Amino acid sequence: MEEYNFQTKAVREGANETEEQEHSAAIFLTSSYRFKSAEQAADRFANKQKGNVYSRFTNPTVEAFQKKLAALEGAEKCHATASGMSAIFATIMTLLKPGEHMIASRCMFGTTIVLLNTIIKKFDIQITFVDLKDLDAWEKSVQKNTKLFLLETPSNPLGEIVDIEKLAAISKKNNIALAVDNCVMTPALQKPLALGADLVIHSATKYIDGQGRCLAGAVAGSGLLIDEISSFTRSTGPTLSAFNAWIVLKGLETLKIRMDAHCKSAMKLAIWLDDQSFIKKVHYIGLESHPHHSIAKKQQTDFGGIVSFEVNGNREDAFRLINNTKMLSITANLGDTKTTITHPSSTTHVRLTDEEKKQSHISENLIRISVGLEDIDDIIADLKP
Ligand SMILES: *Cc1c(COP(=O)(O)O)cnc(C)c1O
């Protein structure tokens, strides 16, 4: 389906119909598969014949999701996992051995930072954290044994951005894999592989499902790397369930249409907030005043659904604004049809030390909104003091 445009691939790619010719993808809720004969079983186990053996290895519903997401990211292959975290974990464990080194952005999803600082460190893997946007810092931190650059761009909640093409030039020169967590943008707005990244990581729990129903994750990239990552999950177990694969598969069909609506409303909200006297500062990459607006314009097709802002005052003032809302959901999740509001310093980033919060600009008066699909006028009305 190479010749089709994004939205057509989103709807049509990955179809895997059975003899029933079902029009909507079937859910294969089965742990294992029967063989026609002992010989066929032997051939399947010996990898002489393609086909399903056990759903920890392959499952048709999961494969349909993998095919669709690979097509949308422009990847050779994609491997689905039980959650975004297991996608990140599988990637790191596949690419690094004890004694090796990776460089990670300081501004990443809270649990990613916890994973790196606790579990990954136990495997004697060295990690250097750098300022996402500082290309010199990435380059200067490279060691002989560096195997991976890991980052999210734009960062959440402040929308800091690194120029993926420029960073990919540094990683390629040094033979280092570049992995971009594309959860906040999705392939509807940004295609890291086309910009030179080696792997794209997803928490499909967010915009790809888009309706807050399940956890799912994925990694996409070259066939070689993805095969290695899938043999890791095949043996360790965090593969995606058929039921959750079906949910996120359906989510992909409407991803671009939802993202366009999220972006449109987020822009309206950012412009409105920017004009309010009770707001000190708005962080939305779509605003020309955002320091990374021009790089965003270069490597993204739009600016996404996350809007953060600082209220005048301190934590109490931020809490008061959050508690004053009637419709918005006070939850740390993002990428839902429902607009969510959260105070990063006490929720998503609570495990950071005061110094780390300062470095990441997570202040006490900062609020993050993931703009949903309600009418934007109602969202704005809910935020009026
Ligand atoms: C939520 C999230 C994750 C983790 O994904 P889960 O599906 O919750 O495991 C990773 N990265 C980013 C940017 C996220 O927002």
Side-chain angles (χ1 to χ4, degrees), residues 176-320:
I176 296 166
L178 170 59
V180 176
D181 180 334
N182 202 27
C183 161
V184 168
M185 280 288 106
T186 83
L189 307 182
Q190 173 172 273
K191 301 228 182 54
L193 299 176
L195 296 166
D198 299 288
L199 290 168
V200 176
I201 302 179
H202 275 289
S203 165
T205 311
K206 312 292 167 56
Y207 288 108
I208 290 181
D209 167 28
Q211 291 154 75
R213 297 166 295 186
C214 72
L215 274 86
V219 191
S222 72
L224 217 66
L225 281 177
I226 297 304
D227 285 346
E228 277 187 58
I229 290 169
S230 76
S231 51
F232 176 83
T233 62
R234 189 185 165 112
S235 303
T236 53
T239 40
L240 183 59
S241 81
F243 189 80
N244 288 1
W246 181 81
I247 290 176
V248 289
L249 175 68
K250 287 307 211 178
L252 282 178
E253 292 186 11
T254 55
L255 176 67
K256 173 129 190 7
I257 292 155
R258 285 184 285 106
M259 289 315 290
D260 288 349
H262 286 299
C263 291
K264 204 170 147 209
S265 290
M267 185 59 115
K268 278 194 185 162
L269 176 63
I271 290 169
W272 180 79
L273 285 167
D274 209 26
D275 210 29
Q276 304 307 306
S277 56
F278 65 97
I279 301 294
K280 190 172 165 203
K281 192 172 174 146
V282 181
H283 304 269
Y284 183 62
I285 35 176
L287 295 178
E288 273 170 31
S289 58
H290 193 286
H292 304 144
H293 177 73
S294 60
I295 314 176
K297 257 171 100 166
K298 192 180 84 162
Q299 69 185 18
Q300 304 168 196
T301 56
D302 210 330
F303 306 107
I306 309 292
V307 179
S308 299
F309 56 95
E310 293 165 44
V311 295
N312 288 327
N314 49 25
R315 176 185 280 222
E316 270 171 36
D317 300 283
F319 274 24
R320 190 173 318 118

Side-chain angles (χ1 to χ4, degrees), residues 29-176:
L29 285 177
T30 181
S31 51
S32 63
Y33 305 84
R34 276 199 300 156
F35 308 107
K36 292 203 167 84
S37 63
E39 286 78 8
Q40 189 186 45
D43 285 348
R44 291 254 175 107
F45 273 87
N47 255 337
K48 281 191 204 148
Q49 189 194 82
K50 272 186 115 71
N52 298 299
V53 171
Y54 190 56
S55 280
R56 179 158 33 77
F57 306 165
T58 55
N59 173 286
T61 317
V62 175
E63 282 188 335
F65 168 66
Q66 292 172 163
K67 257 167 84 178
K68 204 187 277 286
L69 185 54
L72 298 183
E73 284 287 3
E76 224 171 88
K77 248 186 181 174
C78 167
H79 180 66
T81 55
S83 64
M85 288 321 303
S86 47
I88 296 169
F89 184 58
T91 301
I92 295 171
M93 294 312 283
T94 301
L95 293 175
L96 288 119
K97 290 197 297 284
E100 290 181 337
H101 174 249
M102 63 177 281
I103 307 173
S105 159
R106 206 173 277 134
C107 300
M108 276 194 299
F109 182 65
T111 312
T112 306
I113 301 285
V114 174
L115 171 74
L116 292 173
N117 280 336
T118 57
I119 297 166
I120 297 299
K121 283 204 172 148
K122 278 207 293 204
F123 290 91
D124 191 26
I125 287 166
Q126 304 158 37
I127 306 161
T128 305
F129 288 100
V130 296
D131 183 342
L132 171 70
K133 57 191 184 296
D134 186 351
L135 289 165
D136 278 348
W138 288 91
E139 186 150 32
K140 279 196 191 120
S141 306
V142 170
Q143 304 177 6
K144 276 207 183 79
N145 58 348
T146 308
K147 299 292 170 189
L148 173 67
F149 283 179
L150 178 68
L151 61 100
E152 283 163 33
T153 181
S155 70
N156 165 21
L158 293 177
E160 293 197 306
I161 287 181
V162 70
D163 187 319
I164 299 176
E165 253 177 340
K166 286 188 180 155
L167 189 61
I170 298 171
S171 68
K172 281 202 169 53
K173 194 171 74 189
N174 293 286
N175 233 336
I176 296 166

